[in-house]
């Protein structure tokens, strides 16, 4: 595979991309092969060093997951596990990353709005009412309610998002629960939690 890739590059053959990819896949398979004898280690070292020091590689290992660093750990320590997913596509097009679950951003925005409102309330309790406090409280309260409403209106698209929605719903119940067990707006809030659970089961 290495020889074919060099030949394709040297002569500008039309299948250069396929040859390069085949060489990369073969090299990655070699790189993560268990070594069971001194003969294995000697042949492995010669192959990896030759490839990395020539036109298809880079002999300067600057990161833990560089092929030379991986090869060293395999030879010296017997560690031959594959590198992180981010490096498994070297030499070939990487698949696009999956889109983030919109519920996670909505929950984060709601938490930030709630934190801002809580910080204001704590400041008000500590320093007392100042000029314009009512307008500021109203603004932060409305922002908190609007951000929370956006959470309830967002449909999670991943299992992690559905679990996060249930956790968020439970947090909202705890936030509104009184020591005696009463809950503000219980029918509305518990209905939201039921909806969250339905999303998870669905």
């Amino acid at each position: 595979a290495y020889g074919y890739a060099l030949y394709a590059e040297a002569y500008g053959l039309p299948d250069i991309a396929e040859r390069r990819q085949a060489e990369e896949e073969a090299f990655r398979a070699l790189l993560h092969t268990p070594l069971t004898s001194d003969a294995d280690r000697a042949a492995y070292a010669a192959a990896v060093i030759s490839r990395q020091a020539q036109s298809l590689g880079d002999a300067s290992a600057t990161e833990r997951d560089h092929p030379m660093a991986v090869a060293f750990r395999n030879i010296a320590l017997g560690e031959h596990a594959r590198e992180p997913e981010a490096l498994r596509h070297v030499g070939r097009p990487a698949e696009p990353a999956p889109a983030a679950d919109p519920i996670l951003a909505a929950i984060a925005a709601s938490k930030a709005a709630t934190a801002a409102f809580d910080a204001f309330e704590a400041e008000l309790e500590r320093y007392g009412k100042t000029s314009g406090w009512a307008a500021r409280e109203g603004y932060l309260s409305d922002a908190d309610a609007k951000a929370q409403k956006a959470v309830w209106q967002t449909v999670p698209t991943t299992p992690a998002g559905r679990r996060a929605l249930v956790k968020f719903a439970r947090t909202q119940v705890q936030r509104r629960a009184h020591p005696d067990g009463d809950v503000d707006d219980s029918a509305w809030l518990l209905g939201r939690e039921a909806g969250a659970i339905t999303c998870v089961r669905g």
Side-chain angles (χ1 to χ4, degrees):
Y2 182 73
Y4 277 131
L6 289 178
Y7 186 84
E9 286 195 354
Y11 291 93
L13 301 181
D15 62 344
I16 183 172
E18 291 80 4
R19 294 296 189 185
R20 190 69 169 85
Q21 179 171 327
E23 187 280 334
E24 183 66 35
E25 292 176 348
F27 175 70
R28 292 289 159 175
L30 166 68
L31 192 62
H32 300 286
T33 297
L35 307 176
T36 60
S37 68
D38 288 340
D40 277 353
R41 283 183 278 274
Y44 176 90
V48 173
I49 292 172
S50 176
R51 190 265 193 184
Q52 286 302 115
Q54 302 301 323
S55 61
L56 293 183
D58 173 13
S60 177
T62 57
E63 297 179 356
R64 172 179 173 80
D65 294 300
H66 186 280
M68 293 293 278
V70 175
F72 173 81
R73 292 198 302 275
N74 194 2
I75 294 172
L77 306 174
E79 297 178 3
H80 54 82
R82 290 182 65 83
E83 68 272 55
E85 182 69 24
L87 287 179
R88 296 184 186 178
H89 302 291
V90 175
R92 74 206 70 164
E95 295 181 1
D101 192 324
I103 197 68
L104 300 178
I107 289 174
S110 180
K111 288 181 176 179
T114 298
F117 179 79
D118 289 347
F120 170 78
E121 291 293 301
E123 179 182 331
L124 194 64
E125 183 176 349
R126 182 176 181 181
Y127 298 108
K129 297 176 181 179
T130 58
S131 176
W133 72 271
R136 186 180 174 196
E137 182 181 49
Y139 171 80
L140 291 173
S141 178
D142 289 345
D144 188 19
K146 183 178 180 180
Q148 186 182 143
K149 182 179 180 181
V151 173
W152 303 129
Q153 293 177 338
T154 302
V155 178
T157 59
T158 65
R162 291 190 285 271
R163 289 191 295 270
L165 178 57
V166 169
K167 184 177 180 180
F168 177 82
R170 289 172 176 164
T171 299
Q172 294 304 311
V173 170
Q174 293 170 357
R175 181 177 174 83
R176 288 168 172 77
H178 299 289
D180 59 4
D182 293 336
V183 179
D184 293 337
D185 300 324
S186 58
W188 174 83
L189 190 58
L190 292 176
R192 291 300 187 182
E193 180 164 1
I197 293 173
T198 300
C199 284
V200 171
R201 290 180 176 176

